[in-house]
Amino acid sequence: MSNILVVEDEREMLRGLRDNLEFENYHVDAATDGESALKKIVEGSYDLIILDVMLPRLSGLDVCKRARQRGITTPIIMLTARGEEIDKVLGLELGADDYITKPFSVRELMARIKAVLRRAEGIAAVPSERMVVDDLVLDFASFTATRDGQSLTLSPREFEIMKHLWIHRNKTVTRDELLTQVWGYDDSISTRTVDNFMLKLRQKIEEDPGSPKRIITIHGIGYKLVVQ
Ligand code: CA
């Protein structure tokens, strides 16, 4: 049984979501403001988070961003208000997996939930110790890498960056997240360092480092490893 956290401050909406999800046999936990939501996300263990954007104390966008910065990969579906296109775009850039616009039908929401859970299970089933993308093979356990059968030399830090991108493949990874996850909290390191590492990595793994196809830049936010 999947464990879902619903973050919504409107009582009626929350009750409706809870009833429908429980009817579908999901286990439901709830939070009604951004701060308590983040606390639950960090301390709890959920399979999916349904996160409203407009929340007291901390917006849904901030909750999403902070959760991802802490390395939490639980799938997130954002609930956005009609007409607030910017929230959808920002939500996805900040690491949400999907969004649904209010008002929505129960059937539509259930379909999204099932799709996101299925995708998450698929990713979990792929071993994260080995990355295979076309002719590029990285083994994070033995620290070996090849491209088109030729051995590649990557530094331990580069392996760590690639592993983080691989675990979050096809999702935007913020520079701050990379800094925290790969370098830890080190004041002497700036996001500029991340960019320099990406430049070097691209020279090793991209066919044309000048127009990268594997590690793409999400302007002003971070990077995404694209896997077809
Ligand atoms: Ca709300």
Side-chain angles (χ1 to χ4, degrees), residues 8-10 52 54-55 102:
E8 171 62 87
D9 59 317
E10 291 151 59
D52 188 33
M54 298 291 281
L55 289 170
K102 290 178 181 176

Side-chain angles (χ1 to χ4, degrees), residues 104 158 161 175-176 190:
F104 50 83
E158 288 172 333
I161 294 170
R175 285 148 142 168
D176 282 339
S190 73

Side-chain angles (χ1 to χ4, degrees), residues 54-69:
M54 298 291 281
L55 289 170
R57 299 162 102 84
L58 199 61
S59 82
L61 293 170
D62 286 324
V63 173
C64 179
K65 182 177 162 195
R66 293 189 194 183
R68 293 299 185 234
Q69 279 173 345

Side-chain angles (χ1 to χ4, degrees), residues 4-10 14 18 28-41 46 49-52 55-56 63:
I4 299 183
L5 176 67
V6 179
V7 188
E8 171 62 87
D9 59 317
E10 291 151 59
L14 178 58
R18 184 192 278 278
V28 179
D29 195 4
T32 53
D33 69 84
E35 271 178 17
S36 64
L38 188 62
K39 191 165 185 289
K40 279 183 180 243
I41 291 167
Y46 301 99
I49 299 157
I50 297 175
L51 183 59
D52 188 33
L55 289 170
V63 173

